[in-house]
Amino acid sequence: EEEEDDESSEDEDEEEDGSKKAKETPQPALVKSVPSMEQEMLVDMAFANDDVVAQFKEEKEKIVDEETEKDLDVTLPGWGSWGGIGTNDKPKKQIIKKAKPSAPRKDAKLDHVIINTKKNRKLQSHLVKHLPHPYKSRSVFEREMRQPVGPQWNSIRSFKNMIKPIQSTVDGVVIEPMTAPKGFDKVMIRGKRKAVGS
């Protein structure tokens, strides 16, 4: 019996130690999913006069209305009807050109998004049409163009290395003119071909 009492007291000690360890280890704080009433009141006070959601919906409806094609009345006034004394003033048949049904917008089901699908023609002149000389693949070129060059994003040393010219000359030094490469015996001068040296 004494042995059983000793074993049961040891079990109780282990349980107490386990509960102490559980109490000592800090539990992660649970984040409240619902803000308190004070926070809601502060947010309401901060945005009391701003109904941003309604303004955004109005703006989106305006943009959608502008971009959708509408039926066009192409009736010309005076054509197909008689004028003057003794004519019947029957209403003239209107000629309406029906609008083509447009494809559904990409942001039709997204209430919080406006997707602009118009192409900006001014940006076309800034796009690269062909892969520039030193690059072998499009992905390498795009990766290089994505890397910002400014001193805000790079260290001063690497920024200076990036903008350093390939060749540099000292002021007052005469620069020798370029020579034509081998096999380049004719050049184009004012639309006429002339041999080099003639």
Side-chain angles (χ1 to χ4, degrees), residues 98-140:
K98 295 282 185 182
K100 295 178 184 175
S102 59
R105 291 179 55 93
K106 293 180 182 178
D107 59 356
K109 295 180 182 177
L110 304 172
D111 294 334
H112 58 285
V113 176
I114 297 174
I115 298 175
N116 186 3
T117 56
K118 292 182 181 176
K119 288 185 179 179
N120 191 344
R121 303 242 184 250
K122 292 179 183 176
L123 293 177
Q124 293 290 67
S125 61
H126 299 289
L127 295 177
V128 178
K129 293 179 179 130
H130 305 289
L131 196 63
H133 164 63
Y135 300 103
K136 302 290 182 199
S137 71
R138 180 179 173 182
S139 60
V140 173

Side-chain angles (χ1 to χ4, degrees), residues 15-130:
E15 289 175 6
E16 289 176 5
D17 291 340
S19 64
K20 286 180 185 177
K21 288 179 185 175
K23 289 179 184 176
E24 291 173 0
T25 56
Q27 296 292 328
L30 297 175
V31 179
K32 292 182 179 179
S33 61
V34 179
S36 67
M37 290 298 286
E38 292 177 12
Q39 289 177 336
E40 286 181 11
M41 289 173 57
L42 286 173
V43 170
D44 289 341
M45 287 172 53
F47 299 104
N49 296 332
D50 297 337
D51 192 5
V52 182
V53 176
Q55 289 176 357
F56 183 80
K57 284 182 180 178
E58 288 175 13
E59 183 180 346
K60 183 172 180 176
E61 287 172 4
K62 182 180 175 185
I63 290 171
V64 170
D65 189 46
E66 287 175 359
E67 290 182 0
T68 53
E69 292 186 25
K70 296 169 184 66
D71 294 342
L72 185 64
D73 184 9
V74 292
T75 310
L76 295 174
W79 285 87
S81 62
W82 292 92
I85 300 171
T87 59
N88 296 333
D89 293 326
K90 292 181 182 176
K92 191 170 106 177
K93 183 179 178 184
Q94 289 185 331
I95 303 171
I96 297 175
K97 185 178 179 183
K98 295 282 185 182
K100 295 178 184 175
S102 59
R105 291 179 55 93
K106 293 180 182 178
D107 59 356
K109 295 180 182 177
L110 304 172
D111 294 334
H112 58 285
V113 176
I114 297 174
I115 298 175
N116 186 3
T117 56
K118 292 182 181 176
K119 288 185 179 179
N120 191 344
R121 303 242 184 250
K122 292 179 183 176
L123 293 177
Q124 293 290 67
S125 61
H126 299 289
L127 295 177
V128 178
K129 293 179 179 130
H130 305 289

Side-chain angles (χ1 to χ4, degrees), residues 153-169:
W153 299 280
N154 299 301
S155 65
I156 298 297
R157 178 181 285 169
S158 61
F159 169 69
K160 287 183 177 179
N161 284 337
M162 281 189 231
I163 64 167
K164 182 178 174 183
I166 297 169
Q167 293 182 349
S168 60
T169 58

